[in-house]
């Protein structure tokens, strides 16, 4: 009996476990897990472990865990990163029968002639119409233009979509025969057909077919309020539509100029085998099962997925679903999003091109020529590898020097440390936390600045990233993308904000201390609220208020006879919008600091000066302000550092528009890391330079303030 139990336990311990990761939620997750559970029960000798990973962190967790043996054997993800993942060995190719899968979905999951995943589901854009406004969708772009005047007379936007985003523009780009990469894989952003597509979008904007400065929130609001006849959006938008809106989904209209269908990007979710899978054959077998007719039918019916398996559409319940059927018809007119690693570097240049023609800053041809130039610079080859020997020697010397300095400090203060050992125990948790959360990340970030990242790997390049930035090798000094231009904007941004924060904060504090002012307590609470509200919420509110077409600020300007302003179309107004938003957030801090400092200033001094004939301004300038300086100067230094790195306001209000000219150093570093070809080393070099600038500023501020402030 004991032997039998031991044998059973051994068999259980030796049963292989197949780990599968996905990022589905709701009905999609429930349907997928039912399919996998049924498969698990039918397969002997294998256990399947399912993990639902949050969508926002799926890629980062996967790329960190898989190479270290902690990742999945099989995972379900969108196909866009296949090129980078295959180059880094994160996924492996496999052979499978794909006759029952839509060719476009198979193409999406193929790279360099090899299949890297089984297509399971797809997403793409389509035309969603309000049937209370339109009885039939426009079949062609000419029909769309013809119905525009009638709808505009009724105050209805004919077509609402995020016209300034390249993902949404891709439908027109492909409809005109455009492309981002040629047959050899070379980027051709300024292809003649691409120019035609931009000219068409400019026509839509000139004739007010689409709203100005469209955002996802604006699109949802217009459609749900019944103020948009149609939108271009994907299946994710359907959950945002109000119950009282009657709608239908249809394929996008054809281009009247060439009778070609508008073809949006196709995104395919595929079951991919990890390059670190313990049992690739078992993972491949499960992947093929997930794309089978039985699995696809269940996922389509219960999970409401648009599946890639063609035979699933023979099921009447799926075939008769109006939404799934519409996206299935659109699938025939889609273009798989390129899965080349260079694709990620096209988004920002193309977005700039669309926005430049939207505000008529450049012609379509000039805008795309500039986009091509920007892409070529961002994707240029990394610096040549450098010899790390001298850097290792310097690092070791620095480490030995630090250890020696710490040892000297301990020896010199050993008696005091021994006497007050309990105090060090109280300080230890904070010291450990600061080391773990600040010092170590800084050291790691500084080390990354010495490397170049490409195709999933890092190459040591020494100080090359710093030289490229300091000597402006990528961009001219006058370019809005150069370090020096951005540094100048950052300094101007910091000075403008700190001046307004201090002047408004001090003025309000002086007013609120006056005894004749009634309800001072209420005013103090109200005036501190802007500081209490999370700044990203405030930023989004102000962003909406600055909207060109529907913003409250332009509505007020028009009410008093001043025309509305396109706030984010030129540097001066976009910069002003950022400053106004951040001033609203920053003056309460200076007001509170000043109110506290005023409590220690005797009113007798001012009264005596008044008796001597001093005016109000003279009393403030020669008595109050000098006595406020000990409290204000440290606050100014601290506020300057906060403002210097105020990422949220720049990112959420102006977004760096126009052409990244309102970006500050911290937001520019973010873009180098995540939207300009993942140049992590370059971005880290930016961060190190920001740190150096702030340290120097802090030292000067400390000297002026006469004491330590940071």
């Amino acid at each position: 009996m004991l032997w039998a139990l031991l044998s059973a336990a051994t068999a259980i311990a030796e049963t292989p476990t197949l780990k599968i990761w996905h990022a589905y939620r709701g009905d999609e997750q429930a349907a997928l897990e039912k399919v996998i559970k049924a498969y698990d029960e039918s397969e002997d000798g294998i256990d399947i472990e399912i993990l639902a990973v949050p969508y926002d962190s799926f890629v980062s967790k996967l790329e960190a865990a898989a190479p270290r043996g902690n990742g999945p054997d099989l995972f379900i993800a969108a196909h866009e990163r296949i090129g980078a993942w295959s180059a880094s060995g994160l996924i492996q190719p496999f052979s499978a029968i794909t006759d029952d899968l839509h060719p476009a979905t198979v193409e999406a999951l193929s790279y360099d002639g090899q299949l890297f995943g089984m297509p399971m589901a797809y997403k793409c854009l389509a035309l969603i119409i309000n049937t209370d406004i339109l009885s039939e969708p426009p079949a062609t772009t000419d029909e769309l233009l013809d119905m525009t005047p009638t709808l505009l007379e009724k105050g209805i936007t004919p077509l609402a979509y995020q016209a300034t985003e390249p993902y949404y523009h891709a439908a027109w780009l492909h409809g005109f025969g455009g492309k981002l990469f040629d047959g050899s894989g070379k980027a051709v952003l300024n292809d003649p057909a691409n120019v035609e597509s931009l000219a068409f979008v400019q026509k839509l904007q000139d004739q007010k077919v689409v709203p100005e400065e469209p955002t996802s929130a604006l699109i949802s609001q217009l459609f749900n309020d019944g103020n948009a006849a149609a939108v271009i959006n994907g299946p994710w938008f359907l959950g945002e539509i109000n119950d009282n809106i009657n709608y239908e989904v249809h394929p996008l209209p054809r281009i009247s100029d060439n009778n070609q269908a508008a073809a949006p990007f196709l995104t395919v979710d595929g079951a991919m085998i990890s390059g670190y899978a313990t049992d690739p054959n078992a993972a491949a077998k499960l992947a093929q099962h997930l794309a089978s007719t039985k699995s696809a039918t269940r996922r389509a019916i219960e999970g409401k997925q648009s599946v890639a398996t063609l035979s699933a559409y023979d099921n009447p319940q799926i075939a008769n679903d109006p939404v799934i059927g519409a996206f299935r018809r659109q699938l025939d007119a889609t273009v798989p999003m390129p899965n080349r690693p260079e694709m990620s570097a096209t988004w920002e240049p193309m977005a700039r091109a669309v926005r430049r023609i939207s505000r008529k800053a450049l012609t379509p041809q000039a805008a795309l020529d500039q986009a091509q130039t920007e892409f070529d610079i961002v994707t240029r080859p990394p610096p040549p590898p450098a010899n790390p020997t001298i850097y290792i020697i310097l690092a070791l010397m620095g480490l030995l020097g630090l250890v020696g300095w710490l040892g000297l400090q301990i020896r010199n203060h050993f008696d005091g440390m021994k006497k007050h050992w309990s105090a060090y125990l109280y300080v230890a948790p904070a010291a450990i936390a600061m080391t773990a959360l600040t010092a170590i990340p800084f050291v790691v970030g500084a080390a990354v600045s010495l490397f170049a990242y490409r195709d999933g790997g890092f190459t040591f390049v020494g100080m090359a990233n710093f030289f490229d930035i300091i000597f402006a090798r990528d961009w001219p000094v006058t370019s809005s993308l150069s370090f020096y231009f951005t540094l100048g904007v950052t300094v101007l941004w910091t000075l403008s904000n700190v001046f307004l924060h201090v002047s408004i904060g001090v003025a309000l504090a002086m007013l609120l201390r006056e005894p004749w002012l009634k309800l001072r307590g209420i005013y103090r609470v109200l005036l501190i609220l802007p500081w209490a509200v999370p700044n990203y919420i405030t930023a989004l509110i102000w962003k909406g208020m600055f909207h060109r077409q529907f913003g409250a600020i332009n509505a007020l300007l028009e009410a008093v006879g001043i025309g509305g302003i396109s706030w984010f179309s030129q540097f001066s107004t976009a910069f002003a919008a950022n400053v106004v938003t951040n001033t609203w957030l920053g003056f309460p801090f200076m007001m509170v600091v000043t109110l506290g400092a005023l409590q220690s200033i005797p009113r007798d001094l001012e009264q005596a000066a008044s008796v001597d004939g001093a005016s109000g301004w003279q009393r403030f300038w020669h008595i109050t302000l000098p006595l406020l300086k000990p409290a204000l100067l440290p606050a100014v230094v601290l506020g300057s550092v906060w403002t210097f790195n105020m990422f949220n306001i720049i990112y959420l209000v102006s977004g760096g528009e126009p052409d990244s000219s309102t970006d500050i150093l911290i937001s520019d570093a973010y873009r180098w890391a995540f939207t300009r070809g993942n140049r992590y080393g370059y971005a880290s070099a930016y961060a190190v330079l920001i740190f150096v600038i702030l340290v120097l500023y802090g030292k000067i501020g400390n000297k002026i303030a006469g004491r330590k402030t940071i």
Side-chain angles (χ1 to χ4, degrees), residues 220-284:
S220 298
Q221 181 181 345
L222 287 173
F223 196 72
N224 285 324
D225 290 345
N227 293 324
V231 298
I232 296 177
N233 225 310
W236 54 86
F237 179 75
L238 302 180
E240 301 178 19
I241 300 176
N242 291 344
D243 294 337
N244 64 325
I245 299 295
N246 299 312
Y247 68 91
E248 291 178 356
V249 183
H250 296 273
L252 295 172
R254 305 182 74 82
I255 308 297
S256 298
D257 293 350
N258 58 16
N259 199 33
Q260 297 296 313
F265 273 137
L266 175 68
T267 301
V268 181
D269 290 341
M272 306 178 199
I273 302 174
S274 169
Y276 305 90
T278 55
D279 192 344
N281 292 329

Side-chain angles (χ1 to χ4, degrees), residues 291-314:
S292 66
T293 303
K294 182 178 180 180
S295 167
T297 301
R298 187 166 198 171
R299 289 186 290 107
I301 294 174
E302 298 181 20
K304 304 300 181 184
Q305 283 188 327
S306 296
V307 295
T309 307
L310 297 176
S311 58
Y313 293 90
D314 295 334

